[in-house]
Amino acid sequence: MEYRHLGKAGIRVSELSFGSWVTFHNQADVKAAVDMMSAAYEAGVNFFDNAEVYANGKSEEVMGAALKQLGWRRGSYLVSTKFYWGIQDGVNEKSTLNRKRLIEGINGSLQRLQLDYVDLIYCHRPDRTTPIEETVWAMHNIIEWGKAIYWGTSEWAAAEIAAAIEIAERHHLHKPVTEQPVYNLFERHRFSPEYQRVYQEYGYGSTTWSPLASGLLTGKYSQGIPAGSRGTLDGYEWLHKHLTDKEKLAKVQALESIAKELGCKLSQLALAWCLKNPFVSTVITGASRVEQVHENMKAGEVAPKLTPEVLDQIEDIFKGKGEDDED
Ligand SMILES: NC(=O)c1ccc[n+]([C@@H]2O[C@H](COP(=O)([O-])OP(=O)(O)OC[C@H]3O[C@@H](n4cnc5c(N)ncnc54)[C@H](OP(=O)(O)O)[C@@H]3O)[C@@H](O)[C@H]2O)c1
């Protein structure tokens, strides 16, 4: 496993990390979480991603119970959580980054995770109704209180990230250090030219999500939605259009011959492609069973095989209509 700096922050993250969206509580109980986290950790993963909204807090409970059983040295791993959607219906508790909510949010997450602090807290989405200055101060205070070490953004516009950094610099506050953007062969808009400034000039990190486009890039949806897959889960019907998109499926099929030539799985090829982006600090993988973790963790071995010529072949498949479609 290779380790990369989280942008220009001092901390280093494993280039492949592991997240719990969809899976923990819905598909994986504490035992399955222990098995998968342990497989990832043994492969060198040091960063585990979560959010209070995942399974409405239950994903944090599962990860907290798993961490307790695993008993790893706290210095050897990083845990994150995120706030925005909230898990209660109150007027100040939904889709917001107001100061009260963020402070209550971190306290609830620490309880559910059974941790004294988390390493990273994210603003899960921008809140265009709360002044960025209020959010920056709240994140700074949470860090000053020792409840988190670093903070970042997720799916923020480049201009919003720049505004948060500038506010923090002006008041000598802890600056956000990383974005958490979607990034896979189909969706690359968070690395478009408007973000160059964020990554290059500010040295912002990136912890990227859905590297397999929810499993589509493994090739498992080529004959329709298979039993036991994310596409069959209640509450995720909104993914069907994406998982059965004929143009996308044709691209995945075309990728198959490249994977065969390289002697790897499609999943490993798709993950390795994300690793080739120098602005990516870590690719957050997801899995519903331990075999997938074992397979995905080998992607680092495939990355060196993606020569400029191979990357051009991949580009020939993915360029044009269908790329960068929003879900
Ligand atoms: N900040 C954000 O807004 C945001 C949004 C989404 C995700 N995230 C983070 O990013 C993490 C990863 O996202 P993701 O789960 O969408 O990643 P993904 O890699 O796009 O999809 C993972 C899913 O694909 C299937 N899969 C994975 N490896 C496989 C393999 N080798 N063979 C066959 N199927 C395989 C599994 O689903 P099935 O087995 O159920 O089919 C697995 O749960 C999340 O856990 C979360 O931490 C963040």
Side-chain angles (χ1 to χ4, degrees):
M1 183 68 71
E2 302 279 329
Y3 297 86
R4 301 183 181 186
H5 273 277
L6 189 54
K8 64 177 186 194
I11 204 82
R12 287 197 294 163
V13 283
S14 46
E15 62 180 6
L16 295 168
S17 45
F18 187 73
S20 64
W21 178 53
V22 183
T23 56
F24 280 24
H25 178 71
N26 295 318
Q27 293 172 291
D29 58 10
V30 175
K31 189 193 171 305
V34 165
D35 289 349
M36 290 194 287
M37 288 174 70
S38 158
Y41 188 77
E42 277 161 26
V45 165
N46 73 350
F47 170 42
F48 297 89
D49 186 62
N50 215 320
E52 68 168 5
V53 75
Y54 294 170
N56 223 27
K58 295 271 191 285
S59 168
E60 289 178 328
E61 285 176 11
V62 169
M63 191 176 279
L67 284 170
K68 194 152 203 188
Q69 278 191 32
L70 288 160
W72 299 330
R73 195 165 38 76
R74 185 65 185 89
S76 70
Y77 65 91
L78 311 167
V79 175
S80 71
T81 193
K82 319 187 196 74
F83 310 108
Y84 172 70
W85 282 285
I87 53 177
Q88 299 293 337
D89 279 333
V91 64
N92 289 313
E93 298 172 280
K94 283 252 143 221
S95 307
T96 178
L97 296 174
N98 75 62
R99 178 176 177 81
K100 177 175 165 66
R101 178 76 260 289
L102 291 173
I103 291 168
E104 287 179 353
I106 185 66
N107 290 336
S109 289
L110 292 179
Q111 266 181 12
R112 288 186 293 274
L113 286 163
Q114 305 185 55
L115 294 174
D116 298 329
Y117 69 92
V118 286
D119 300 275
L120 259 165
I121 42 173
Y122 292 92
C123 295
H124 211 158
R125 289 293 180 271
D127 167 12
R128 290 167 184 143
T129 69
T130 296
I132 292 184
E133 188 161 348
E134 178 173 333
T135 299
V136 172
W137 269 103
M139 298 305 259
H140 167 80
N141 289 143
I142 290 169
I143 290 175
E144 286 288 288
W145 297 329
K147 296 182 184 200
I149 311 279
Y150 296 99
W151 77 279
T153 53
S154 180
E155 299 289 309
W156 280 34
E160 290 165 327
I161 295 169
I165 291 173
E166 279 157 21
I167 290 165
E169 280 178 345
R170 197 176 328 132
H171 298 285
H172 302 287
L173 308 178
H174 291 286
K175 288 186 260 190
V177 299
T178 186
E179 165 65 8
Q180 185 167 139
V182 66
Y183 187 56
N184 58 53
L185 277 158
F186 292 113
E187 293 175 286
R188 312 165 182 195
H189 55 285
R190 296 289 175 198
F191 287 92
S192 63
E194 57 164 323
Y195 283 90
Q196 284 295 311
R197 180 179 172 208
V198 168
Y199 294 120
Q200 230 152 3
E201 201 180 304
Y202 293 125
Y204 218 50
S206 76
T207 60
T208 63
W209 58 267
S210 285
L212 298 177
S214 272
L216 179 62
L217 284 161
T218 66
K220 69 203 266 184
Y221 291 93
S222 59
Q223 311 296 328
I225 297 177
S229 67
R230 181 175 291 184
T232 62
L233 297 178
D234 285 345
Y236 292 89
E237 294 78 7
W238 55 273
L239 276 174
H240 289 182
K241 187 170 161 268
H242 156 73
L243 295 172
T244 57
D245 183 299
K246 285 206 175 69
E247 278 183 31
K248 286 183 179 174
L249 285 166
K251 288 176 184 192
V252 176
Q253 199 181 354
L255 204 57
E256 198 101 47
S257 60
I258 299 180
K260 207 172 257 171
E261 258 172 56
L262 299 179
C264 69
K265 302 273 189 188
L266 267 179
S267 54
Q268 294 161 342
L269 177 56
L271 294 169
W273 180 85
C274 298
L275 288 174
K276 293 301 278 188
N277 182 336
F279 293 126
V280 168
S281 317
T282 181
V283 175
I284 312 177
T285 65
S288 65
R289 53 204 73 144
V290 74
E291 298 73 28
Q292 294 173 352
V293 179
H294 290 307
E295 183 175 303
N296 297 346
M297 290 301 134
K298 297 207 182 87
E301 295 163 24
V302 175
K305 298 183 183 171
L306 302 193
T307 58
E309 294 71 36
V310 174
L311 288 170
D312 282 348
Q313 285 174 35
I314 295 175
E315 218 39 35
D316 284 344
I317 297 170
F318 280 84
K319 72 179 174 207
K321 204 173 164 290
E323 178 200 313
D324 229 356
D325 288 345
E326 293 269 15
D327 291 329

